[in-house]
Amino acid sequence: MTDVVALGEVMLRFDPGEGRINTARTFQVWEGGGEYNVVRGLRRCFGLRTAVVTALADNAVGRLVEDLVLQGGVDTSLIRWIPDDGIGRTARNGLNFVERGYGIRGALGVSDRAHTAVSQLGKGDIDWDTVFAAGVRWFHTGGIFAGLSDTTVDVADEAMAAARRHGVTVSYDPNYRPSLWAGRGGADGAREVDLRLARHADVIVGALGLAGTHPGQARISAGGVPDALAEVAGLLPDVQVREVPSAGVNDWSSAAWSAETGFVAGPRMPALHVLDRIGSGDGFAAGLIHGLLCDTGLERALAYGTAHGALTMTTPGDVSMTTPGDVSMATLAEVEALIAGASAAVKR
């Protein structure tokens, strides 16, 4: 039985290490993707049984992605394989070149993901009733997958509705990417889709992105978080449970709201040193979902998310690993020690 299923694109990430993309001669290769990173973290750090629903072109590159996913312990049986035409004219696999950034130089992502196999998924391509009838406990997807194409919005809508019919808890992360919406409605189009899909969710991760008139418009101070969460809650009156974490870079913290608890503040980790911030929000989501599935209470679930997200930023790659195939650097013991106040002192 699978505990958590995610729907999203899995790309190859090309990492030039400490160098720059435009002068690199070698790259390290990882797998990654906003929705996939969550189930990868849940499998490796928290020991849950997870699977990813995606589509890949059936060629050597797609099989490399599959191999990396298998090494991460995530079930690949729900991958939809699309025949390869030899040059990627009809379907291809996504690539993502990412610089980590350092100091005053921010991280840089250059994605090559148009016309990928997963972006061509359409309503009816996946038998969601079969997927969720197998005892799945949680389903996660987000705005990155929904933003891939006009058809993926309908796939996400169909999947979330099916999960709710089967009594599966549903989470959604708006995760706005401007590049996905350029020429397709921009921020306004993304906001429309987010509000449509978020109404199916029990848990919304990163929903401070829904504050303001369009994604990224609102600049929220720490003191303004409770009001911003209340604003988001008012946008989604039919959602019965809303956990809405937010995370800052360097000063790392979290907060949540639910109808049962009201506003809850998570741990604060000021002046956090960051090696690679890519995937930190997904790491947060994994910890949060683990806590909620284990009925730890919202405050403890926030602590799991905050600690796991923080540890994700201490290692390279989207999914907290040292080299492709290694297990997650963030273990459950490390997460719980950080929650308990562990320091960075050498352990002998």
Side-chain angles (χ1 to χ4, degrees):
M1 184 180 72
T2 301
D3 295 306
V4 183
V5 171
L7 168 65
E9 181 167 46
V10 187
M11 298 191 294
L12 287 179
R13 170 177 167 176
F14 288 78
D15 187 342
E18 297 177 356
R20 306 296 301 272
I21 293 170
N22 62 333
T23 56
R25 297 298 177 267
T26 59
F27 292 88
Q28 189 140 20
V29 180
W30 331 84
E31 87 281 22
E35 297 84 7
Y36 162 78
N37 294 342
V38 175
V39 289
R40 208 279 188 185
L42 283 166
R43 176 68 187 94
R44 276 305 192 193
C45 181
F46 298 104
L48 296 180
R49 295 157 297 188
T50 65
V52 62
V53 177
T54 192
L56 295 168
D58 193 357
N59 56 29
V61 176
R63 294 298 173 177
L64 172 58
V65 176
E66 178 193 34
D67 186 65
L68 292 168
V69 173
L70 286 168
Q71 291 178 52
V74 177
D75 183 359
T76 62
S77 64
L78 299 178
I79 293 177
R80 183 179 175 89
W81 291 97
I82 307 302
D84 178 42
D85 63 13
I87 61 172
R89 179 183 290 111
T90 56
R92 52 187 296 271
N93 299 303
L95 309 178
N96 193 24
F97 296 81
V98 180
E99 292 178 10
R100 300 176 202 169
Y102 184 80
I104 61 171
R105 176 170 59 86
L108 172 66
V110 181
S111 60
D112 181 15
R113 67 195 310 176
H115 311 298
T116 55
V118 70
S119 73
Q120 298 177 50
L121 282 180
K123 192 172 181 179
D125 285 344
I126 307 295
D127 184 350
W128 293 109
D129 287 324
T130 298
V131 171
F132 295 126
V136 175
R137 302 166 63 196
W138 195 290
F139 175 69
H140 178 74
T141 192
I144 295 179
F145 173 77
L148 293 177
S149 71
D150 293 337
T151 62
T152 54
V153 176
D154 294 330
V155 175
D157 191 299
E158 176 187 44
M160 297 171 80
R164 295 297 295 267
R165 286 198 307 274
H166 285 268
V168 177
T169 302
V170 177
S171 57
Y172 180 78
D173 186 343
N175 231 346
Y176 174 61
R177 294 289 186 272
S179 58
L180 292 178
W181 291 95
R184 297 181 51 240
D188 291 336
R191 170 56 50 82
E192 181 181 348
V193 165
D194 284 335
L195 293 179
R196 170 186 168 186
L197 297 178
R199 290 183 172 87
H200 291 301
D202 300 290
V203 176
I204 304 169
V205 182
L208 283 183
L210 294 177
T213 59
H214 58 267
Q217 182 265 334
R219 294 291 181 265
I220 302 165
S221 66
V225 170
D227 289 341
L229 295 183
E231 175 191 337
V232 173
L235 294 173
L236 302 166
D238 297 326
V239 179
Q240 296 181 356
V241 181
R242 307 175 202 76
E243 276 82 42
V244 194
S246 66
V249 177
N250 298 326
D251 286 339
W252 184 252
S253 63
S254 61
W257 181 95
S258 77
E260 292 77 18
T261 64
F263 178 79
V264 177
R268 295 187 61 82
M269 297 182 183
L272 190 69
H273 289 274
V274 175
L275 175 64
D276 185 349
R277 68 192 60 185
I278 306 298
S280 56
D282 307 324
F284 179 94
L288 178 76
I289 292 170
H290 163 75
L292 294 175
L293 277 173
C294 293
D295 293 323
T296 63
L298 184 52
E299 186 173 2
R300 181 71 175 182
L302 278 177
Y304 274 118
T306 306
H308 188 241
L311 287 168
T312 298
M313 292 189 285
T314 67
T315 55
D318 285 25
V319 287
S320 298
M321 49 201 293
T322 50
T323 59
D326 284 358
V327 298
S328 172
M329 288 290 286
T331 65
L332 180 55
E334 289 173 328
V335 169
E336 292 182 333
L338 184 57
I339 292 172
S343 72
V346 176
K347 297 176 177 62
R348 302 181 187 276

